[in-house]
Amino acid sequence: MIRVEKLTKRYDATTVVDDVSFEVERNSITVVVGTSGSGKSTLLRMINRLVEPSSGRVLLDGADTRSEPAHLLRRRIGYVIQGNGLFPHRTVAENVATVPRLLGWPDERIQARVTELLEIFQLDPALYAGVLPHQLSGGQQQRVGVARALAAEPAVLLMDEPFGALDPIIRAKAQEDLLAIQRRFGTTVVLVTHDMDEAFHLGHSIAVMSEGRLLQYDRPATLLTQPADSFVARMTGLSDRALKLLALTSAGDAVLPGESEGPRVASSASLREVLSELLWRRADSALVLGEDGAPRGQLTVAAILARAHP
Amino acid sequence: MSGLAITAPRERVDRLGLLLTTVGAAALIGLPFVVFKSNRIVPGEPRALHEVLPLWGALGLQFVLLGNAAVALGVADARRRLVAALAGIVVLALAVAAAANALTPPGNKVVRIAPGGASWVLLLCLGLMATDAITRMRPRPLVRVLLLVLTLAIAGAALSRGTFDNLSVMREYAVNAGRFPGEFRRHVWLAGGSLIAALIVGLPLGVLCHRVPRLRPPVLGTLNVIQTIPAIALFGILMAPLGALAARLPAAAALGIRGIGAAPAVVALFLYSLLPMVADTVIGLRRVSQAAVEAALGMGMTGSQVLSRIELPLALPVILTGIRVVLVQNIGMVTIAALIGGGGLGTFVFQGIGQNAIDLVLLGAIPIVALAFSASVLLDALIETLERSGSASPGAAS
């Protein structure tokens, strides 16, 4: 879907992004994580050419992104930034309609799309379409920012620290919304963050960057079990890596045959959550329920612990 | 009057009201109400209120002024203060007009009766009371414009009815009635024309300075230096090149470009206008949320779309502030253009100075003040309306 080849950005003597290559799968969420100054934002901005690379190239569906004017490329790629960047003088509906308008969609289609998106993002169009951004709460503004980025149905969505300005509760909600939206539209998402927990929570793949270099690009579990170097290991968190690993597997994926008198857990719960529940209740095993509520099997503390190491 | 202040026992005496009452009372006692001149040139003779008005008129005016003092000292409600002040101004103006009518022998066009020190000071005090009340009321922009229109309409109606025809300023107007409308239009044209020229050049120059930060210090520095040149000196500096241009190019001369006259005046005003135009455009653009600009670019707007749809609309209130400064400044400065044959209301001011006829100076000066004040109120209202509509509300933190 997105192929980054030997991408490098230099400003005078400093190299901000240094020879980075990786490939993003279609319909997946890839999280680029790193400390500030690691070059992660510059890397993202080179994908939609807000920053032009010094060398290397980006292929989108096999085509070099430089084969069309930058502004036309950007209209095909959703873009969300921290603090959302809503236009303060435009209403919510006008903000969401930005890219469809640039693309010259007919009015009825724009109207229908805006209404659809506001409903998806739990913003009643009757109440919110006509208000200005400063009349919204922080969480609502953030949702409008994402809705605006998705308005023209882009195949790719780039997000630069999209939840950085939100408080923890609203941030958790925004993350769940993103996962739901991504499943619904199958959008290919590249998200930049400095928050490792966010990366593990959202990412199908994680790219760890430091000082402009890509240290490791892997599945989250691989990052934990086989960190490329000590920096990646420290970034992913040595103290709770066993629990992080458990958090990556759902009860449904680890369920074993059998019955249990213990607490009932949903198959969508992570092993970390199931373990916590078992410890809290001083139980040895839990009954795993499917989405339909029927028992699917059981999980024991021992079985969970067996998955907590490489 | 101190007795009246006690009628509001728990409230502290209004300080502005106390000042205005003291000054107004002192002026009414110590200064002439009107000044009488048997002709235009001779020095005036002071006349007190009771000398020029019948007893009931003089007492009536004093009664109204006492009422004003009571309101100024003891009433906190801004609306009542405004109504009282406006009523006071109307009554005062009518009293001055009545005094002029009483002092003018029938059919005599030679005597000159002008408002005296007391009238001017009282007008100033009541004017301050009214402006203070309006400020306290914080009226919506539309209300302020309506107040302005109402004031102008009342003044216009009184003038066209001939209420003040026996006052010296209107005597001067009657003498110059043929020239006045032309010079008035010329004044507006000179001020507005140089503003439009400054807008056409200053706005793009400001955008350029914003986009290319390296240009900012030299451009703003140069414009700053121009601002420090005195107007008369700038006229002088411009005379030589414009004169030479007219001599070389007959086409330029045909357009009215000469070393003296309107051309150097417009050019000088244009040059003075550039600094506020460019500086405010730069400030306005810098104030635009960088997150909004970044998002606009990231969603595929071209550079000119970002400028026209995001940056300029968001910078508009600040740019309009620049336009306001320029317009008010120009309306005042056009006056000097009369010195080099540029015309405008300044013609009356400088003729009046030359003839030692203060009334002729006022014939030029009062419309200039009214024009500048009206322009300021109108543009302020426009700016505030835009700000209320959300244009200027700061973007979310980036």
Side-chain angles (χ1 to χ4, degrees):
Chain A
M1 180 80 205
I2 307 173
R3 219 178 129 107
V4 173
E5 287 183 359
K6 295 181 175 300
L7 215 49
T8 299
K9 181 65 191 180
R10 282 183 220 96
Y11 291 105
D12 298 326
T14 33
T15 305
V16 186
V17 174
D18 189 2
D19 194 29
V20 170
S21 302
F22 66 100
E23 195 160 344
V24 173
E25 281 173 54
R26 185 179 300 278
N27 303 347
S28 74
I29 299 180
T30 296
V31 179
V32 182
V33 65
T35 51
S36 55
S38 61
K40 57 189 191 301
S41 272
T42 310
L43 176 65
L44 189 79
R45 289 153 60 90
M46 281 194 281
I47 296 177
N48 67 359
R49 290 177 59 198
L50 277 173
V51 173
E52 293 288 355
S54 305
S55 64
R57 59 177 191 163
V58 178
L59 301 178
L60 199 62
D61 283 330
D64 193 320
T65 51
R66 280 170 301 186
S67 59
E68 65 183 321
H71 65 276
L72 296 182
L73 170 77
R74 290 182 204 134
R75 289 174 194 178
R76 298 197 289 124
I77 300 178
Y79 186 53
V80 177
I81 56 177
Q82 181 176 4
N84 65 61
L86 294 179
F87 306 140
H89 60 311
R90 300 273 184 97
T91 63
V92 166
E94 287 167 346
N95 264 287
V96 174
T98 305
V99 182
R101 258 198 215 295
L102 288 172
L103 294 172
W105 286 15
D107 281 351
E108 313 81 72
R109 189 176 166 203
I110 294 177
Q111 178 94 50
R113 179 67 176 157
V114 168
T115 307
E116 180 193 359
L117 277 167
L118 290 182
E119 276 165 0
I120 291 173
F121 282 90
Q122 302 129 44
L123 294 160
D124 182 354
L127 289 178
Y128 292 106
V131 308
L132 290 169
H134 70 87
Q135 294 166 282
L136 301 177
S137 72
Q140 290 170 331
Q141 289 180 1
Q142 200 277 336
R143 284 179 347 235
V144 175
V146 180
R148 182 174 70 170
L150 292 171
E153 296 163 4
V156 174
L157 177 63
L158 305 180
M159 308 181 90
D160 192 351
E161 306 242 8
F163 311 128
L166 302 179
D167 67 57
I169 292 173
I170 298 174
R171 179 190 305 210
K173 163 96 169 66
Q175 290 170 346
E176 294 319 311
D177 284 351
L178 177 65
L179 289 171
I181 293 291
Q182 195 272 335
R183 274 195 296 271
R184 175 171 178 155
F185 293 115
T187 316
T188 306
V189 178
V190 181
L191 184 146
V192 161
T193 180
H194 61 264
D195 178 352
M196 207 33 128
D197 288 326
E198 186 166 274
F200 274 98
H201 183 49
L202 298 176
H204 300 128
S205 307
I206 296 177
V208 182
M209 285 192 71
S210 174
E211 293 172 348
R213 302 175 64 85
L214 178 61
L215 299 180
Q216 189 168 6
Y217 178 57
D218 260 315
R219 300 277 168 206
T222 318
L223 228 52
L224 287 168
T225 55
Q226 298 157 38
D229 60 15
S230 60
F231 180 84
V232 176
R234 264 184 290 126
M235 273 291 283
T236 52
L238 287 171
S239 61
D240 66 343
R241 54 186 167 180
L243 295 174
K244 274 212 175 81
L245 195 55
L246 288 180
L248 291 171
T249 310
S250 72
D253 289 341
V255 68
L256 299 168
E259 289 285 319
S260 168
E261 296 297 307
R264 294 158 171 242
V265 296
S267 60
S268 61
S270 73
L271 290 186
R272 178 181 175 148
E273 288 165 327
V274 177
L275 180 63
S276 173
E277 186 67 12
L278 289 175
L279 293 175
W280 191 256
R281 305 229 181 185
R282 298 188 181 199
D284 279 331
S285 67
L287 183 66
V288 179
L289 303 177
E291 276 177 36
D292 52 358
R296 283 188 54 195
Q298 51 97 25
L299 270 172
T300 61
V301 171
I304 294 173
L305 294 184
R307 284 177 168 267
H309 51 81
Chain B
M1 258 169 258
S2 59
L4 286 163
I6 297 167
T7 54
R10 298 225 47 169
E11 304 231 336
R12 283 173 55 209
V13 172
D14 186 280
R15 287 200 189 172
L16 180 73
L18 190 62
L19 179 71
L20 294 180
T21 304
T22 316
V23 171
L28 195 59
I29 294 164
L31 293 174
F33 185 65
V34 291
V35 175
F36 177 86
K37 292 190 275 190
S38 51
N39 65 51
R40 192 166 176 250
I41 313 291
V42 296
E45 306 157 19
R47 295 288 162 87
L49 184 58
H50 61 87
E51 294 175 298
V52 293
L53 285 183
L55 184 63
W56 62 266
L59 283 179
L61 177 62
Q62 284 176 13
F63 183 74
V64 169
L65 291 174
L66 271 176
N68 267 312
V71 173
L73 287 169
V75 176
D77 180 44
R79 275 174 200 224
R80 287 191 208 167
R81 290 173 73 91
L82 179 63
V83 170
L86 292 180
I89 289 172
V90 170
V91 171
L92 178 67
L94 291 176
V96 171
N101 294 342
L103 284 176
T104 306
N108 186 327
K109 303 261 183 212
V110 183
V111 296
R112 290 283 190 272
I113 296 112
S119 310
W120 287 120
V121 172
L122 283 171
L123 184 66
L124 179 75
C125 289
L126 291 166
L128 280 174
M129 186 174 160
T131 6
D132 171 63
I134 291 173
T135 315
R136 288 193 206 182
M137 280 161 63
R138 294 170 206 269
R140 300 180 66 85
L142 186 67
V143 177
R144 293 206 303 264
V145 172
L146 284 177
L147 274 174
L148 176 71
V149 171
L150 193 69
T151 310
L152 292 179
I154 291 174
L159 288 175
S160 64
R161 279 199 58 211
T163 311
F164 300 111
D165 276 359
N166 280 327
L167 272 181
S168 52
V169 177
M170 292 313 290
R171 276 282 157 79
E172 293 293 348
Y173 173 76
V175 175
N176 292 291
R179 289 198 298 146
F180 187 86
E183 299 293 5
F184 187 88
R185 275 198 298 275
R186 195 174 177 78
H187 198 97
V188 173
W189 185 86
L190 285 172
S194 48
L195 168 73
I196 290 167
L199 207 59
I200 292 171
V201 175
L203 207 57
L205 198 57
V207 172
L208 194 66
C209 282
H210 176 70
R211 289 281 163 95
V212 190
R214 276 215 327 264
L215 278 177
R216 226 174 282 160
V219 170
L220 291 179
T222 310
L223 296 179
N224 243 321
V225 170
I226 293 176
Q227 286 272 316
T228 63
I229 305 175
I232 290 291
L234 192 53
F235 289 151
I237 293 169
L238 288 169
M239 274 181 196
L242 288 173
L245 188 69
R248 298 267 165 77
L249 287 177
L255 279 172
I257 294 177
R258 281 179 297 152
I260 58 168
V266 169
V267 174
L269 287 173
F270 159 75
L271 289 175
Y272 284 131
S273 309
L274 276 181
L275 179 67
M277 271 319 306
V278 175
D280 278 346
T281 306
V282 171
I283 294 169
L285 289 173
R286 264 164 71 175
R287 223 182 52 152
V288 172
S289 147
Q290 276 315 293
V293 172
E294 156 116 10
L297 279 174
M299 285 189 300
M301 286 196 194
T302 62
S304 54
Q305 283 169 337
V306 174
L307 184 66
S308 65
R309 298 184 189 188
I310 308 297
E311 291 185 299
L312 284 181
L314 288 174
L316 193 59
V318 181
I319 295 175
L320 276 175
T321 312
I323 292 177
R324 194 199 91 131
V325 169
V326 167
L327 188 57
V328 173
Q329 170 184 295
N330 281 4
I331 290 172
M333 282 187 40
V334 172
T335 314
I336 318 178
L339 271 187
I340 52 164
L345 291 165
T347 316
F348 301 121
V349 174
F350 287 109
Q351 266 181 21
I353 293 174
Q355 300 169 5
N356 200 15
I358 196 72
D359 304 318
L360 191 54
V361 175
L362 287 177
L363 179 63
I366 292 174
I368 293 171
V369 172
L371 269 178
F373 182 73
S374 308
S376 165
V377 170
L378 286 176
L379 279 169
D380 270 342
L382 185 61
I383 293 165
E384 207 184 307
T385 309
L386 282 172
E387 282 181 340
R388 283 190 188 201
S389 74
S391 303
S393 59
S398 59

